[in-house]
Amino acid sequence: MGEAPAFLVDDMQKSFSDRFDLKLKGFETATVIGSKTYVINGTDGPTSSGVRVFNKSTGEWVIPTVLGTKPKSLKGHSSVVLNEDRILIIKNNSKSNECVWFLEVDTQFIRDQKMKCDTEVVAWSKGVIGNSEQPVVISGPSGVGKGTLINKLMKDFPTMFGFSVSHTTRLAREKEINGEHYHFTKRSVMEEEIKSGRFLEFAAVHGNLYGTSIESVDVVADAGKRCILDIDVQGARSVRASSLEAVFIFVRPPSFEELENRLRARGTETEEQIQKRLRNAKAELEQGKSPGLFDHILVNDDLEACYERLKNLLGISESKNFAPKTPSKVFDLPVDFTLTKVSEKIIIKNAEQEIVLDLSLMKGGAPGRTRGLEMHVNYD
Ligand SMILES: Nc1ncnc2c1ncn2[C@@H]1O[C@H](COP(=O)(O)OP(=O)(O)OP(=O)(O)O)[C@@H](O)[C@H]1O
Ligand SMILES: Nc1nc2c(ncn2[C@@H]2O[C@H](COP(=O)(O)O)[C@@H](O)[C@H]2O)c(=O)[nH]1
């Protein structure tokens, strides 16, 4: 099979902006997908959305809703269309672990968001070189022992696992620390943040809002650790439907009576709250059986025996404590370069250097990171 034709992206962009007189300002790039042109801005201003869209069919400019964390600075970047649903952006003069970004414009995530808010939507996703271990979602009724199991895992394997700190609108318990056990927040603030696309998932649980921010998962992955999420079944369902590939574990009690005993013995809820949690537990225990939702069911009868089974299915044993994964070697990108797309590879080139970005194993994407990228300097 012959190689796909190479496109010199910078030339294409220049001729396009000349033709349509887009009057690009400094550091801006224009990328055409179908009838729309996405102009990506290089400025960092807090009020700048960083993206505007020209719709050729209506002849109008639109400022889209921009989801996800945008790159810190795009003063100097090149862009290229991938699969008609996202734009790859390479930042000039940056480090190899910081330079790859994606602006998603028509992926499944974007189509879902457009249905919700009925506006033009785009979303940023940072490109990550290499792969990290799949996050672990742990679900189950309140009081079953999820937190106890997770605490043991974090204590025994601190360099291997990191906890995704959720946001919640419930009040902090006596020994809970803001930022460590939860990010305790006001409902109005959390609702605004949900609207702005900050959350991977969220749900109303026992009368309060709980949610996993995209950042909470990214912070753990960036530290080279495997992320553990302690979330309810609704949250697990949302994560299952998202682009985050995870292992899903449902923890069951040995009996409903034992669950009630544990909740009461914990002594953190009022009688009314215990009753509410027990009512919800009945529904959750049923939902835990939903076909295709959970990969593993763990019965937390004897704590130590259950912990052993958990470690086994995560593929770890007491004897080995893992160091964080060695990050890929970081190198500098040139100040100026051209981008050429050849099949699933992007060639980043100037007179002195050629760097290859391989997208063939790319996965994930907004609302999380885009993973599985490979990047190397070509010495041939
Ligand atoms: N296997 C077990 N046997 C007996 N008690 C247990 C066991 N596992 C956990 N517990 C106890 O049960 C209580 C509830 O556990 P834990 O707080 O870990 O539950 P949880 O599933 O995280 O609850 P929530 O969803 O409300 O946060 C705690 O007091 C804990 O010490
Ligand atoms: N969907 C989500 N559920 C979450 C999240 N963080 C915690 N939880 C679940 O809430 C209940 C109650 O927790 P508690 O701390 O008040 O006892 C429990 O089942 C958790 O799994 C989240 O981010 N999203």
Side-chain angles (χ1 to χ4, degrees), residues 66-70 101 109 113 123-126 135 163-167 183 193-194 196-202 211-222 227 229 239 242-244 365-371:
V66 183
L67 304 177
T69 314
K70 63 179 181 179
W101 289 80
F109 173 68
Q113 300 304 312
W124 285 108
S125 171
K126 188 178 179 214
F163 184 60
S164 156
V165 181
S166 293
H167 283 61
H183 298 289
E193 290 178 341
I194 288 170
S196 73
R198 224 186 127 187
F199 284 85
L200 174 67
E201 64 76 32
F202 62 91
T212 309
S213 72
I214 296 165
E215 195 187 345
S216 293
V217 177
D218 284 346
V219 162
V220 177
D222 288 349
C227 185
L229 290 81
V239 176
S242 80
S243 59
L244 190 81
R369 305 264 157 126
T370 303
R371 302 180 190 280

Side-chain angles (χ1 to χ4, degrees), residues 318-339:
E318 211 69 69
S319 58
K320 33 180 185 171
N321 192 359
F322 294 74
K325 279 219 164 88
T326 322
S328 320
K329 198 163 177 284
V330 175
F331 52 88
D332 292 318
L333 254 77
V335 179
D336 281 312
F337 52 77
T338 58
L339 279 189

Side-chain angles (χ1 to χ4, degrees), residues 169-188:
T169 59
R170 88 151 157 72
L171 294 176
R173 292 175 188 145
E174 207 184 349
K175 291 196 177 134
E176 283 179 330
I177 300 167
N178 190 24
E180 188 179 315
H181 297 95
Y182 279 106
H183 298 289
F184 294 99
T185 180
K186 283 199 191 122
R187 185 174 272 265
S188 57

Side-chain angles (χ1 to χ4, degrees), residues 39-168:
V39 175
I40 299 171
N41 192 323
T43 55
D44 295 328
T47 53
S48 158
S49 82
V51 183
R52 59 198 158 99
V53 185
F54 180 68
N55 188 333
K56 201 157 62 119
S57 5
T58 59
E60 282 175 357
W61 283 100
V62 178
I63 303 297
T65 300
V66 183
L67 304 177
T69 314
K70 63 179 181 179
K72 278 214 181 71
S73 170
L74 282 176
K75 286 188 178 159
H77 67 272
S78 294
S79 56
V80 56
V81 180
L82 297 179
N83 305 327
E84 299 292 302
D85 62 5
R86 73 196 72 197
I87 301 167
L88 165 72
I89 289 105
I90 307 282
K91 285 168 64 169
N92 301 49
N93 201 16
S94 58
K95 301 271 178 208
S96 55
N97 60 346
E98 284 292 328
C99 70
V100 184
W101 289 80
F102 297 87
L103 185 73
E104 298 195 9
V105 301
D106 194 30
T107 55
Q108 188 58 50
F109 173 68
I110 296 295
R111 288 197 288 272
D112 292 346
Q113 300 304 312
K114 276 185 184 168
M115 298 259 279
K116 281 184 210 159
C117 56
D118 203 25
T119 57
E120 186 71 44
V121 181
V122 296
W124 285 108
S125 171
K126 188 178 179 214
V128 176
I129 309 297
N131 273 309
S132 47
E133 291 251 42
Q134 286 187 335
V136 184
V137 170
I138 300 191
S139 246
S142 177
V144 74
K146 304 179 294 295
T148 308
L149 289 163
I150 292 169
N151 286 342
K152 281 172 83 63
L153 211 51
M154 302 279 295
K155 187 165 161 278
D156 290 348
F157 304 98
T159 57
M160 188 184 188
F161 294 103
F163 184 60
S164 156
V165 181
S166 293
H167 283 61
T168 182

Side-chain angles (χ1 to χ4, degrees), residues 141-148 258 262 266 277 300-303:
S142 177
V144 74
K146 304 179 294 295
T148 308
E258 174 62 13
R262 286 183 195 172
R266 189 171 70 183
R277 285 178 182 237
N300 183 15
D301 37 20
D302 176 72
L303 182 60

